[in-house]
């Protein structure tokens, strides 16, 4: 499906493709897995027995599987074996970070769980080339360390890391020293080593082991078990340790490379709290984070690496403007397609001109209604950036709880992001750079805060949720921070116009913006997805391009 989409957008046939590149090297990854099992033997025999059939059947013969699938794309005879390339995992990440960035040259820091062998890497990008500087290999991984605590605090690995990051401000980092004294040794240059006697991820079926559990006073939290102050403190502690590690790494990279700009990628680069810290400490002049920093972005990086490094194609950079196009790289739908899908679902809708639409939507937001907002191309990456978003009024104190419990059906402690007009961001937040991809956390200014608790008055745990902390309480986390998206007219004209109209009516230059999806479901892509999500939740209005749908007008979901 993804390949067919790309072919359609490019307006070409499959046989016209010059090269296909895969974002990692399966044989190197298999080598790492085998060597790890041998190194830890006889531990891990159960995990080994479980994983080998999948590797032997599918992953080890990835090249053949890819070729067989590529053959299905065209009736013409194509030697796909000659056209298929494989990039190293961390090279793909580094290329995704640097080549679309606005910089002619920059240092590149990649942090993730593990690729083939590498877990942390430093490179320098200059023009159309990347040069590797240093790396840290498996099993020493900041990504896997963070995921181990994600598992221990009862969240799902590879998706629950956001939850633990959101939980951290409710706790105190009282276990940070315990972590540094036992689990990880961090050098001044940010390099680190894990004590693997506490972990099970190298060869086991879980992330942590009994020794880890004994150190922190009990077994991992079960999925539906109550979150206690202890879990909050553990989340705060690992977040603190990881922030220290990343800042140390960033300082060393700046010193070692002498570069003024930094590019970030890899799953850990989605830790927007740590990213915000790098910016506030002014370690580099500019920081740019690939919006699809996880493995999805590896596909983009692999293609760019071939284009620039294999073929030697030049980059055209304009400082200050990246080449991600706002990360609006996904599908879009014509009015005819939208209308056809809505009619097939039995949807009741009306079509307005843009001025009427924005006026109606802003009035509904001011009245406390929640809007499903679908416009233009879908975002590439994990963040909704104003094209597949649920939006609402950030000034309404109860809106965070309403969105979490009645719209997203997720934990009530999860924070929401503000989408703020770029020119007004620094009036509200401690942010002196653009943040179009919602990847930097910043503090809200003192003059916008309403509650300043003393240490004696300080609420603990989820009691903190009851406190109205600022004039935009629905987007102010309990530590007075927010994950800010800056919106400009150039990046998203219609979303900019909507927020501007809301500001003209209220004096507030921002809206709540969260991804248009239910908990554990992907972000909506097409109008049918949007309509289904609309009917399954307490969203009041659905807007798809200039089509407006009111909840009260709709019949029960039957046909789509």
């Amino acid at each position: 499906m993804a390949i067919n989409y790309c072919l359609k957008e490019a307006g070409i046939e499959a046989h016209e493709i010059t090269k296909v590149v895969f974002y990692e090297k399966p044989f190197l990854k298999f080598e790492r897995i085998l060597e790890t099992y041998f190194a830890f033997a006889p531990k891990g025999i159960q995990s080994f027995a479980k994983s080998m059939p999948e590797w032997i059947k599918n992953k080890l013969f990835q090249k053949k599987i890819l070729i067989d699938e590529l053959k299905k794309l065209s009736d013409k005879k194509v030697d796909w074996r000659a056209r298929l390339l494989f990039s190293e995992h961390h090279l793909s990440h580094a290329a995704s970070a640097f080549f679309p960035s606005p910089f002619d040259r920059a240092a590149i820091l990649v942090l993730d769980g593990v690729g083939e062998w590498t877990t942390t890497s430093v490179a320098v990008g200059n023009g159309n080339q990347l040069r590797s500087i240093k790396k840290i290999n498996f099993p020493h991984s900041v990504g896997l360390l963070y995921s181990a605590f994600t598992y221990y605090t009862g969240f799902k690995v590879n998706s629950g890391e956001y939850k633990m990051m959101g939980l951290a401000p409710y706790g105190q980092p009282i276990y940070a020293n315990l972590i540094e004294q036992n689990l990880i040794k961090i050098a001044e240059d940010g390099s680190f080593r894990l004590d693997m006697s506490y972990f099970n991820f190298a060869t086991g079926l879980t992330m942590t082991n009994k020794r880890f559990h004994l150190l922190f006073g009990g077994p991992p939290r079960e999925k539906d078990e109550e979150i206690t102050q202890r879990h909050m403190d553990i989340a705060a502690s690992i977040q603190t340790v990881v922030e220290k590690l990343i800042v140390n790494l960033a300082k060393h990279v700046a010193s070692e490379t002498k570069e003024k700009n930094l590019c970030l990628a890899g799953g850990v680069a989605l830790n927007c709290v740590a990213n915000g810290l790098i910016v506030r400490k002014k370690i580099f002049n500019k920081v740019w984070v690939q919006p699809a920093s996880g493995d999805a972005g590896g596909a983009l990086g692999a293609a760019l690496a071939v284009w620039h490094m294999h073929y030697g194609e030049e980059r055209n950079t304009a400082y200050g403007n990246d080449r991600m196009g706002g990360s609006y790289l996904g599908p879009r739908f014509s009015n005819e397609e939208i209308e056809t899908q809505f009619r097939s679902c039995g949807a009741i809708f009306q079509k307005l001109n843009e001025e009427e639409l924005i006026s109606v939507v802003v009035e509904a937001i001011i009245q406390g209604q929640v809007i499903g907002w679908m416009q233009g191309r879908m975002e590439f990456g994990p963040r909704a950036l104003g094209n597949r978003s649920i939006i609402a009024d950030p000034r309404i104190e109860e809106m965070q709880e309403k969105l979490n419990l009645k719209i997203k059906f997720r934990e009530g402690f999860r924070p929401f992001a503000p989408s703020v007009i770029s020119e007004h961001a620094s009036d509200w937040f401690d942010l002196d750079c653009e943040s179009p991809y919602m990847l930097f956390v910043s503090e809200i200014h003192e003059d916008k805060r309403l509650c300043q608790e003393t240490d004696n008055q300080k609420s603990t745990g989820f009691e903190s949720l009851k406190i109205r902390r600022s004039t935009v309480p629905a987007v102010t986390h309990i530590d007075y921070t927010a994950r800010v998206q800056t919106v400009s007219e150039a990046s998203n004209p219609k979303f900019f116009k909507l927020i501007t109209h809301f500001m003209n009516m209220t004096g507030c230059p921002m809206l709540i913006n969260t991804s248009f999806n239910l908990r554990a479901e992907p972000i909506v892509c097409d109008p049918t997805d949007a309509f289904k999500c609309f009917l399954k939740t307490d969203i009041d209005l659905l807007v798809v391009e200039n089509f407006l749908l009111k909840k009260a007008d709709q019949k029960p979901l039957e046909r789509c």
Side-chain angles (χ1 to χ4, degrees):
M1 184 182 291
I3 294 176
N4 287 328
Y5 165 73
C6 291
L7 291 172
K8 180 181 175 183
E9 289 296 314
I12 62 173
E13 299 293 329
H15 68 272
E16 298 177 83
I17 296 172
T18 307
K19 294 290 181 184
V20 175
V21 57
F22 192 68
Y23 78 110
E24 64 182 7
K25 296 188 174 182
F27 273 104
L28 278 180
K29 198 165 191 172
F30 186 63
E31 173 191 272
R32 185 255 300 169
I33 289 170
L34 280 182
E35 287 194 21
T36 300
Y37 280 124
F38 289 145
F40 284 87
K43 290 182 179 179
I45 186 65
Q46 184 182 0
S47 174
F48 180 82
K50 185 175 181 179
S51 64
M52 280 307 102
E54 171 66 16
W55 266 97
I56 293 169
K57 182 181 178 182
N58 294 319
K59 298 181 182 179
L60 192 57
F61 300 101
Q62 189 86 55
K63 186 172 186 176
K64 182 181 184 304
I65 293 169
L66 289 171
I67 290 170
D68 288 344
E69 290 299 315
L70 289 167
K71 286 178 179 177
K72 297 175 184 178
L73 297 174
S74 175
D75 294 331
K76 296 183 182 294
K77 189 174 181 179
V78 177
D79 184 3
W80 289 111
R81 184 174 295 276
R83 301 189 189 188
L84 183 59
L85 300 173
F86 291 83
S87 171
E88 288 191 4
H89 189 101
H90 267 239
L91 173 61
S92 298
H93 276 315
S96 79
F98 176 64
F99 289 133
S101 79
F103 311 133
D104 290 322
R105 57 181 302 137
I108 307 155
L109 179 58
V110 177
L111 298 155
D112 66 359
V114 61
E116 294 90 359
W117 278 100
T118 307
T119 67
T120 304
S121 63
V122 178
V124 170
N126 185 3
N128 66 349
Q129 294 298 312
L130 298 177
R131 178 170 57 91
S132 177
I133 301 294
K134 58 177 58 177
K135 60 182 65 175
I136 297 172
N137 283 344
F138 182 86
H140 308 292
S141 165
V142 62
L144 291 174
L145 173 68
Y146 203 81
S147 290
F149 278 88
T150 300
Y151 166 83
Y152 187 70
T153 50
F155 303 116
K156 187 177 179 180
V157 172
N158 293 330
S159 63
E161 284 77 8
Y162 299 122
K163 298 179 184 181
M164 192 173 70
M165 184 172 62
L167 184 64
Y170 293 91
Q172 296 297 319
I174 61 176
Y175 299 100
N177 288 338
L178 189 70
I179 293 170
E180 289 195 57
Q181 290 167 7
N182 293 275
L183 302 186
I184 184 170
K185 301 300 180 187
I186 305 173
E188 285 298 316
D189 65 358
S191 60
F192 58 92
R193 291 186 66 82
L194 302 184
D195 184 339
M196 293 305 298
S197 67
Y198 289 94
F199 300 97
N200 204 29
F201 60 75
T203 56
L205 299 173
T206 60
M207 296 297 294
T208 58
N209 61 25
K210 291 180 181 178
R211 194 173 186 212
F212 186 106
H213 308 161
L214 185 64
L215 183 67
F216 290 97
R221 184 181 75 89
E222 295 294 332
K223 180 182 177 182
D224 297 320
E225 185 182 338
E226 179 187 1
I227 296 173
T228 67
Q229 188 62 48
R230 172 173 160 271
H231 299 119
M232 300 173 198
D233 293 339
I234 289 171
S237 300
I238 187 57
Q239 178 66 33
T240 297
V241 171
V242 166
E243 287 172 13
K244 175 183 175 180
L245 186 155
I246 292 174
V247 167
N248 283 1
L249 268 172
K251 287 179 178 177
H252 176 70
V253 170
S255 173
E256 180 90 354
T257 65
K258 310 301 182 188
E259 297 293 337
K260 303 301 182 186
N261 304 309
L262 176 68
C263 298
L264 290 167
V268 179
L270 293 171
N271 192 311
C272 47
V273 180
N275 296 345
L277 202 55
I278 293 173
V279 170
R280 288 197 299 278
K281 288 184 175 292
K282 300 187 183 301
I283 301 169
F284 291 87
N285 290 350
K286 299 278 187 179
V287 178
W288 190 85
V289 186
Q290 166 55 242
S293 280
D295 285 353
L300 173 68
L304 288 169
V306 170
W307 181 249
H308 293 299
M309 300 174 70
H310 182 75
Y311 285 112
E313 296 290 343
E314 294 299 317
R315 293 172 67 226
N316 297 313
T317 57
Y319 196 89
N321 297 302
D322 67 53
R323 300 169 65 200
M324 285 298 294
S327 208
Y328 305 116
L329 305 178
R332 61 184 170 191
F333 299 88
S334 67
N335 286 337
E336 293 76 15
E337 290 171 317
I338 295 167
E339 194 163 341
T340 297
Q341 290 194 34
F342 280 163
R343 291 195 186 284
S344 71
C345 291
I348 309 299
F349 57 88
Q350 55 183 307
K351 190 178 181 186
L352 307 176
N353 65 45
E354 188 169 293
E355 298 302 323
E356 290 174 323
L357 181 80
I358 286 177
S359 179
V360 169
V361 171
V362 167
E363 185 60 36
I365 292 172
I366 292 171
Q367 291 174 4
Q369 295 188 35
V370 178
I371 316 299
W373 179 261
M374 175 179 163
Q375 303 291 323
R377 290 192 177 277
M378 184 180 181
E379 297 89 341
F380 178 56
R383 309 291 191 213
L385 302 170
N387 280 13
R388 299 294 187 278
S389 295
I390 295 172
I391 55 177
D393 190 338
R395 303 169 304 155
I396 299 174
E397 187 173 0
E398 303 80 14
M399 192 56 72
Q400 179 187 4
E401 182 179 14
K402 179 180 179 180
L403 289 174
N404 270 325
L405 302 183
K406 295 185 177 183
I407 309 293
K408 304 283 281 188
F409 302 119
R410 69 185 197 182
E411 300 87 354
F413 67 83
R414 304 274 296 276
F416 289 101
S419 291
V420 57
I421 294 173
S422 291
E423 301 91 276
H424 296 278
S426 61
D427 298 334
W428 287 74
F429 301 100
D430 180 21
L431 184 71
D432 60 0
C433 65
E434 292 294 308
S435 180
Y437 303 121
M438 209 183 283
L439 285 168
F440 300 114
V441 161
S442 302
E443 291 189 351
I444 193 165
H445 285 325
E446 296 276 348
D447 64 336
K448 303 295 192 271
R449 300 181 186 184
L450 299 178
C451 173
Q452 297 286 345
E453 296 176 289
T454 67
D455 288 337
N456 292 332
Q457 296 173 324
K458 217 162 203 179
S459 302
T460 59
F462 294 147
E463 292 177 2
S464 307
L465 281 167
K466 302 173 184 176
I467 298 169
R468 183 181 175 94
R469 297 184 175 276
S470 78
T471 55
V472 282
V475 293
T476 306
H477 207 15
I478 65 163
D479 56 353
Y480 300 99
T481 65
R483 190 182 71 219
V484 179
Q485 179 199 9
T486 54
V487 180
S488 67
E489 188 170 15
S491 66
N492 195 325
K494 195 167 184 178
F495 196 39
F496 177 85
K497 186 178 289 188
L498 180 77
I499 302 172
T500 299
H501 190 74
F502 179 78
M503 179 183 68
N504 292 338
M505 296 290 288
T506 65
C508 179
M510 72 189 79
L511 292 171
I512 295 175
N513 178 7
T514 187
S515 57
F516 195 166
N517 66 305
L518 297 176
R519 178 185 181 182
E521 290 189 3
I523 297 174
V524 303
C525 177
D526 63 25
T528 299
D529 294 337
F531 185 67
K532 287 180 179 179
C533 190
F534 171 53
L535 291 191
K536 289 178 183 177
T537 66
D538 283 353
I539 293 174
D540 300 292
L541 293 180
L542 172 61
V543 180
V544 179
E545 298 299 344
N546 283 11
F547 293 89
L548 178 70
L549 294 82
K550 298 178 181 179
K551 179 63 67 64
D553 294 341
Q554 308 308 315
K555 301 172 185 177
L557 184 62
E558 293 177 355
R559 285 181 285 176
C560 62

